[in-house]
């Protein structure tokens, strides 16, 4: 056990951590060293940035790179400190769970996502990502979750959508949508026929595939999206908004999208993979031992902790067997995720055991493919281990016993009053146009006595179209950060601004309609927030002090030329 090793040997372990990390990629440019050893390379930096923030280092400024490098250095110092303190000794179960997740994610990428993120699909997406789609959408909802307001089953909704599609056309689309669409217009309570402006990359994959294959004024057959079928009326496409991204960036974006809004697309493939492995492995469930487990867990709260309440014989009993492995009571309890069960019935435990068997079989599929020997897996495991140790350090910085006194909370409140104010509110009217000459004419009209609200109408002409717009009410609070808010915050009620330029290169004039200043909240109304903020500041100060101490013990050197160069 590492806790039993002498202090001198433990110091060698810490030095070894720095040495191993630094030498793994000896040909990389070194960005920083810790304790005189190569510790953080360009490759380390890129892995950290990708795993924690999903960003690309090539698009960062030098100051941003430096901030991220400081985060890596801090994590490495905490990691070494955690090893020294023995925080790595009680993470075996957590590491097993991390290994489980890494292998399952690899299986999903390799056996499922690779069927969607193909070269052909990436190339298609490269030509369309960011495109603006102007369309109308007739929506037929189905009940796909417990809280869904829809009453139709998926099959019933599909039949309804098919029957609508059989008679719909561009000429009668509005009438059909008003009558049959489940997406209602709040004003009329009829089906919504308003034109939707949608962006490729921000709508479900199935919708994108359908609309990209359509021509303007076309009608799609029913398209399944999460919780509904949609009949699309494509009005127009705007290709000027397409984003110019490399194929690697497109593939990464597609993966993140399948992890989020497009999960419904890959779920059937995931289920099929699990079921096929389960059947081919000839899995057998032990009903007798599941009944025993259900009886023992009847009044249990913490399942993982309950392991100690079972005998060695009970823990070794088999809940399921399959070719090449199985699940014992002990293994099941140690991998149990809190919150899975409302109550411990034999049926629910059986379902959980079956699913656990399926995930173990998927793991084995990836292992048989040699994944454990790859640098990708070793890097992922190292990253997970480091994160767990760093988390333990962060948790230890603020022990549960720390409770601020009322006097300390009042002092903190008094010194940080800016945190505990209402947001305030500003309401403005705005005149805006991309044409500076139109804005100048409007300003002249206002100066001559024309009301702000009517100034736009005086320059509009039936013979010549204008791009000028009047927004009668634009609201934001004192915390809003944009060029409109920045200008309005300096003005008083009823004051009219000079002409100023917006970020989109258009020009604006604003008038302050109403202004409500932020008000200080009472101590009692925000007491809980004050306490949370106090503890957060205390934790931050302890972290700063710990890192300062560690940097004295283990000298950190940053190679800014290398950081600038990549």
């Amino acid at each position: 056990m590492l806790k039993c090793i002498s202090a001198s040997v433990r110091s060698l372990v810490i030095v070894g951590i720095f040495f191993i990390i630094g030498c793994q990629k000896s040909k990389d440019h070194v960005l920083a060293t810790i304790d005189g050893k190569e510790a953080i390379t360009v490759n380390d930096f890129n892995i950290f940035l990708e795993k924690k923030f999903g960003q690309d280092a090539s698009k960062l400024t030098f100051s941003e790179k430096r901030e991220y490098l400081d985060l890596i250095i801090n994590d490495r110092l905490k990691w070494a400190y955690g090893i020294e303190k023995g925080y790595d000794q009680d993470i075996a179960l957590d590491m097993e769970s991390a290994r489980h997740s890494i292998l399952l994610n690899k299986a999903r990428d390799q056996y499922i996502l690779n069927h969607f993120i193909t070269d052909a699909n990436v190339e298609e997406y490269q030509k369309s990502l960011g495109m603006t789609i102007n369309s109308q959408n007739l929506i037929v909802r189905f009940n796909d979750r417990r809280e869904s307001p829809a009453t139709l089953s998926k099959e019933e909704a599909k039949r309804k959508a098919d029957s609508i599609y059989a008679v719909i056309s561009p000429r009668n689309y509005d009438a059909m949508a008003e009558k049959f669409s489940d997406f209602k217009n709040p004003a009329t309570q009829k089906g919504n026929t308003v034109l939707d402006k949608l962006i490729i990359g921000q709508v479900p994959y199935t919708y994108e595939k359908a609309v990209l294959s359509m021509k303007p004024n076309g009608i799609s057959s029913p398209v399944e999206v999460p919780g509904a079928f949609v009949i699309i009326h494509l009005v127009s496409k705007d290709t000027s908004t397409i984003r110019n991204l490399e194929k690697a960036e497109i593939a990464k974006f597609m993966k993140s999208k399948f992890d989020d809004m497009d999960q419904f697309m890959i779920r059937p493939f995931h289920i099929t993979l699990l079921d096929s492995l389960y059947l081919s492995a000839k899995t057998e469930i032990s009903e007798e031992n599941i009944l025993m487990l259900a009886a023992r867990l009847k009044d249990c709260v913490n399942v993982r902790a309950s392991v100690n309440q079972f005998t060695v014989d009970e823990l070794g009993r088999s809940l399921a067997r399959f070719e090449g492995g199985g699940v014992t009571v002990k293994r099941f309890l140690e991998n149990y995720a809190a919150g899975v069960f409302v109550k411990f019935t034999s049926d629910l435990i059986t379902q959980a055991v079956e699913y656990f068997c399926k995930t173990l079989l998927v793991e084995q599929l990836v292992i048989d493919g040699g994944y454990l020997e790859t640098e990708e897996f070793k890097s992922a495991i190292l990253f997970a281990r480091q994160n767990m140790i760093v988390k333990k350090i962060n948790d230890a910085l603020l022990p549960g016993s720390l409770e601020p006194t009322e006097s300390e909370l009042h002092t903190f409140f008094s010194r940080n009053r800016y945190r505990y104010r209402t947001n305030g509110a500003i309401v403005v009217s705005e005149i805006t146009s991309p044409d500076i000459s139109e804005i100048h004419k409007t300003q002249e009209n206002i100066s001559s006595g024309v009301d702000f609200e009517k100034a736009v109408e005086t320059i509009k002409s039936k013979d010549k179209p204008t791009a000028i717009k009047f927004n009668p009410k634009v609201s934001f609070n004192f915390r809003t950060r944009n060029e409109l808010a920045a200008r309005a915050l300096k003005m008083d009620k009823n004051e009219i601004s000079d002409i100023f330029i917006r970020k989109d290169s258009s020009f604006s004039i604003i008038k302050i309609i109403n202004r409500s200043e932020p008000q200080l909240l009472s101590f009692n109304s925000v007491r809980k927030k004050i306490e949370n903020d106090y503890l957060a500041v205390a934790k931050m100060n302890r972290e700063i002090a710990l890192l300062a101490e560690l940097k004295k013990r283990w000298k950190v050197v940053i190679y800014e030329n290398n950081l600038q160069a990549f």
Side-chain angles (χ1 to χ4, degrees):
M1 295 289 288
L2 191 57
K3 288 184 177 179
C4 300
I5 297 176
S6 67
S8 59
V9 175
R10 183 176 284 279
S11 297
L12 290 175
V13 172
I14 305 302
V15 171
I17 289 173
F18 292 141
F19 182 78
I20 291 169
I21 293 170
C23 293
Q24 281 177 337
K25 300 287 182 182
S26 58
K27 292 182 180 180
D28 270 345
H29 284 298
V30 177
L31 302 180
T33 59
I34 301 176
D35 202 34
K37 301 291 187 293
E38 292 185 9
I40 300 169
T41 66
V42 170
N43 187 58
D44 296 324
F45 186 95
N46 288 331
I47 289 172
F48 173 86
L49 204 62
E50 167 63 25
K51 288 188 178 293
K52 277 210 169 182
F53 302 100
Q55 291 201 36
D56 182 356
S58 65
K59 297 184 178 180
L60 299 179
T61 64
F62 175 78
S63 61
E64 288 172 333
K65 289 179 184 178
R66 180 57 194 271
E67 287 178 11
Y68 283 121
L69 181 58
D70 286 340
L71 292 177
I72 299 171
I73 291 168
N74 292 346
D75 277 0
R76 289 286 172 83
L77 289 168
K78 289 178 186 176
W79 183 21
Y81 178 71
I83 297 291
E84 183 181 73
K85 291 294 184 181
Y87 288 154
D88 60 326
Q89 295 306 293
D90 55 352
I91 62 172
L93 286 178
D94 292 326
M95 282 304 300
E96 178 63 26
S97 177
R99 179 180 181 275
H100 190 61
S101 295
I102 291 167
L103 293 174
L104 291 181
N105 287 337
K106 179 62 180 177
R108 179 203 58 193
D109 293 349
Q110 185 171 337
Y111 298 108
I112 299 174
L113 288 186
N114 280 356
H115 292 287
F116 293 93
I117 308 176
T118 61
D119 289 342
N121 285 343
V122 168
E123 286 179 10
E124 181 182 27
Y125 226 55
Q126 195 175 27
K127 297 173 185 176
S128 61
L129 183 61
M131 181 190 295
T132 301
I133 302 296
N134 296 303
S135 63
Q136 293 175 292
N137 298 284
L138 191 160
I139 296 172
V140 180
R141 289 196 172 105
F142 58 81
N143 193 328
D144 64 335
R145 59 191 187 281
R146 185 178 299 174
E147 64 274 17
S148 172
T151 57
L152 298 181
S153 68
K154 184 175 179 178
E155 293 73 20
E156 290 169 335
K158 181 65 166 66
R159 286 197 294 271
K160 178 180 176 180
D162 285 339
S163 65
I164 295 170
Y165 175 67
V167 295
I168 201 167
S169 69
R171 289 185 177 182
N172 67 5
Y173 189 93
D174 282 5
M176 296 289 283
E178 283 188 352
K179 185 174 182 179
F180 294 111
S181 182
D182 289 331
F183 182 50
K184 304 299 182 184
N185 185 321
T188 65
Q189 287 304 305
K190 294 180 180 179
N192 199 354
T193 59
V194 173
L195 196 67
D196 290 320
K197 182 176 286 188
L198 305 173
I199 307 296
I200 297 296
Q202 298 178 13
V203 290
Y205 177 83
T206 47
Y207 189 100
E208 293 170 343
K209 292 289 284 185
V211 82
L212 288 174
S213 66
M214 296 170 64
K215 293 181 179 180
N217 208 33
I219 303 285
S220 76
S221 58
V223 177
E224 183 183 348
V225 297
F229 289 98
V230 183
I231 299 175
I232 307 164
H233 175 214
L234 176 63
V235 177
S236 64
K237 301 177 184 178
D238 181 1
T239 58
S240 67
T241 55
I242 291 176
R243 299 168 61 184
N244 184 23
L245 297 179
E246 297 295 328
K247 287 184 179 180
E249 294 177 292
I250 296 287
K252 186 188 300 182
F253 177 83
M254 291 178 72
K255 183 176 182 298
S256 68
K257 198 161 173 287
F258 278 113
D259 286 339
D260 188 14
M261 72 167 65
D262 288 330
Q263 279 192 28
F264 79 103
M265 281 288 298
I266 65 174
R267 193 174 298 120
F269 295 88
H270 183 239
I271 293 171
T272 299
L273 174 64
L274 293 180
D275 289 347
S276 63
L277 290 173
Y278 186 82
L279 292 172
S280 62
K282 300 177 181 177
T283 310
E284 296 179 357
I285 302 293
S286 171
E287 293 183 9
E288 178 185 352
N289 290 334
I290 284 191
L291 288 170
M292 178 275 293
L293 183 60
R296 293 294 303 275
L297 293 178
K298 185 178 180 182
D299 300 316
C300 183
V301 177
N302 188 331
V303 177
R304 282 192 172 184
S306 71
V307 171
N308 297 327
Q309 301 172 15
F310 288 78
T311 66
V312 173
D313 173 67
E314 288 172 333
L315 291 174
R317 290 190 189 181
S318 172
L319 296 176
R321 297 180 187 277
F322 50 80
E323 290 182 355
V327 176
T328 62
V329 170
K330 184 174 186 293
R331 190 174 191 183
F332 177 75
L333 293 176
E334 288 178 343
N335 285 273
Y336 167 79
V340 172
F341 304 120
V342 178
K343 57 182 179 179
F344 294 94
T345 66
S346 58
D347 287 344
L348 288 175
I349 293 177
T350 298
Q351 292 175 24
V353 170
E354 287 176 349
Y355 184 76
F356 190 31
C357 289
K358 292 174 182 179
T359 61
L360 292 176
L361 289 164
V362 172
E363 276 190 23
Q364 195 57 50
L365 185 66
V366 176
I367 292 170
D368 291 344
Y371 183 60
L372 296 187
E373 306 306 317
T374 64
E375 288 300 320
E376 179 184 330
F377 174 75
K378 293 174 184 177
S379 173
I381 281 290
L382 185 66
F383 194 77
R385 183 180 182 82
Q386 178 184 339
N387 282 344
M388 287 175 192
I389 294 174
V390 169
K391 183 179 184 303
K392 285 185 174 292
I393 295 291
N394 290 337
D395 291 344
L397 288 171
L398 196 62
S401 58
L402 181 61
E403 293 184 9
T405 65
E406 284 297 303
S407 175
E408 288 171 330
L409 291 178
H410 275 282
T411 300
F412 186 86
F413 174 67
S414 179
R415 291 176 177 173
N416 298 276
R417 288 175 179 266
Y418 69 93
R419 294 173 182 249
Y420 310 110
R421 295 178 179 272
T422 61
N423 289 330
I426 298 180
V427 181
V428 306
S429 291
E430 178 190 26
I431 298 172
T432 182
S433 173
D435 186 343
I436 186 64
S437 64
E438 291 183 345
I439 289 292
H440 276 306
K441 289 178 184 178
T442 306
Q443 187 181 48
E444 290 171 3
N445 289 337
I446 294 169
S447 299
S448 68
V450 177
D451 287 344
F452 188 88
E453 295 77 8
K454 298 178 180 179
V456 170
E457 298 300 323
T458 61
I459 71 165
K460 285 189 174 180
S461 169
K462 293 182 180 178
D463 301 325
K464 182 182 177 182
T466 59
I468 197 163
K469 293 180 181 179
F470 175 61
N471 300 319
K473 187 176 181 181
V474 183
S475 303
F476 47 86
N477 63 50
F478 278 63
R479 299 179 189 273
T480 304
R481 295 290 179 264
N482 59 40
E483 68 274 23
L484 188 65
R487 181 59 62 102
L489 285 170
K490 300 174 183 177
M491 299 168 60
D492 296 323
K493 185 176 180 180
N494 295 323
E495 186 177 350
I496 298 174
S497 74
D498 294 328
I499 298 172
F500 62 95
I501 191 167
R502 300 291 300 270
K503 282 186 178 180
D504 61 1
S505 298
S506 63
F507 303 91
S508 290
I509 303 173
I510 60 172
K511 178 181 179 181
I512 307 299
I513 304 302
N514 197 13
R515 179 182 174 115
S516 301
E517 300 296 323
Q519 301 296 315
L520 182 66
L521 298 165
S522 69
F523 175 86
N524 288 335
S525 68
V526 290
R527 189 188 184 287
K528 187 62 179 177
K529 185 178 187 318
I530 296 169
E531 184 176 357
N532 290 338
D533 291 345
Y534 178 95
L535 293 173
V537 171
K539 182 176 182 178
M540 180 183 69
N541 289 337
R542 291 185 180 195
E543 181 181 16
I544 292 171
L546 173 63
L547 290 170
E549 177 191 338
L550 296 179
K551 287 175 182 178
K552 287 180 183 178
R553 292 174 54 192
W554 297 317
K555 185 179 179 181
V556 175
V557 178
I558 295 175
Y559 299 93
E560 295 197 348
N561 288 339
N562 289 345
L563 188 63
Q564 184 81 57
F566 89 99

